Amino acid sequence: MSDDTALAVRDEGPVRHLILNRPQKLNALDLDQHVRIKDAVEAAGDDDSVRVLVLSGEGRAFCAGDDLTAGAPQGEDPMRDRRVDLDLGAGPAFLLESAAVLRACPKPTVVLLHGHALGSGYDYSLSCDFRLATEDVNYGDPRIHRALWAAEGWSYKLPRLANQSVVTPIAYLGETMDGPTAEACGLVHRVYPAGADLRLVAKPFFNELVGLDSRAYAETKARILASVDTDFEHALAFTP
């Protein structure tokens, strides 16, 4: 289990940074960390002073995926009485819920990808509105090579973000991408030089998002997600 310092929350004016802070583990995620992320995203969504939410990782990687050495979670198990009959474990199962909260956050959400951005970190990234990466990022989900399947939500999100010809090598072959490849696939919006401090070089983009009207952004986002997640007739009738 990870301690409370594993997720750092820092405000830079109206921009709130959620920073994965287990650099010695390449920011691998255990159940406690999933719970912290969900709680922090919900808190940001309810805080009128927060205009932009940024997710990043400390050290050499954004997130190397699941922490396969994790022990028991701290406190009450959030999956108690809500377990499914799948060989997933509580961490991956809870990721379905926490990633959904991130995806539905009414604020602009940005993820900064560097080093390794794999597995559950990849899933969280697909829940964000914008993905910014370094050229040399190692991005994707190679877990199929360990006979693990896409049970954590990205199998739903990926086909809605990229066309089928892009989906197949990522999903079926477990191929990972560097920044320019991910940008060419439409999965990354901006690419920066290898070694760049993304929290620093992306500040002009954060400021651009801060300048947008919060209500208009939230309503536009809600309509787009509703349109993606439902059929045409229901999308036209949706009211946020």
Side-chain angles (χ1 to χ4, degrees):
M1 60 186 176
S2 55
D3 60 36
D4 291 340
T5 66
L7 182 68
V9 180
R10 301 175 189 167
D11 287 340
E12 293 185 356
V15 179
R16 176 160 295 175
H17 290 268
L18 305 183
I19 304 172
L20 306 180
N21 189 34
R22 302 179 76 199
Q24 73 281 6
K25 290 274 192 177
L26 297 180
N27 297 315
L29 301 172
D30 59 10
L31 176 57
D32 290 324
Q33 191 75 319
H34 290 308
V35 174
R36 292 187 194 100
I37 292 170
K38 176 177 178 291
D39 290 346
V41 172
E42 289 177 330
D46 293 335
D47 189 337
D48 291 339
S49 70
V50 177
R51 307 266 306 192
V52 177
L53 186 63
V54 180
L55 182 62
S56 63
E58 197 64 62
R60 297 183 293 115
F62 165 62
C63 176
D66 301 306
D67 184 356
L68 301 180
T69 67
Q74 296 176 350
E76 183 178 349
D77 182 353
M79 295 305 296
R80 185 169 60 109
D81 302 325
R82 293 192 291 133
R83 296 191 180 279
V84 291
D85 188 19
L86 297 171
D87 186 18
L88 292 175
F94 191 79
L95 172 58
L96 287 168
E97 188 170 322
S98 56
V101 167
L102 177 59
R103 185 170 182 261
C105 179
K107 310 293 176 70
T109 55
V110 185
V111 64
L112 307 181
L113 306 168
H114 77 287
H116 296 295
L118 305 171
S120 53
Y122 169 71
D123 199 302
Y124 275 119
S125 78
L126 296 183
S127 293
C128 291
D129 300 339
F130 298 97
R131 288 164 291 280
L132 314 184
T134 57
E135 292 176 337
D136 58 345
V137 70
N138 180 30
Y139 184 47
D141 191 346
R143 285 178 291 185
I144 196 167
H145 296 301
R146 292 191 281 124
L148 298 174
W149 53 290
E152 297 177 343
W154 68 254
S155 58
Y156 175 88
K157 290 174 283 190
L158 181 61
R160 287 162 171 77
L161 294 172
N163 64 47
Q164 187 67 22
S165 63
V166 170
V167 169
T168 48
I170 299 171
Y172 303 153
L173 301 178
E175 291 184 0
T176 59
M177 301 163 279
D178 61 14
T181 301
E183 184 181 34
C185 292
L187 293 177
V188 163
H189 299 93
R190 300 190 181 189
V191 177
Y192 298 87
D197 181 342
L198 293 177
R199 287 193 288 270
L200 179 62
V201 297
K203 278 187 176 182
F205 181 62
F206 303 156
N207 292 334
E208 180 181 350
L209 295 176
V210 167
L212 300 175
D213 182 85
S214 296
R215 181 176 178 181
Y217 190 96
E219 291 185 357
T220 300
K221 183 173 182 176
R223 288 182 180 277
I224 288 175
L225 290 179
S227 299
V228 167
D229 295 343
T230 191
D231 59 48
F232 180 69
E233 290 183 0
H234 285 89
L236 291 180
F238 174 75
T239 300

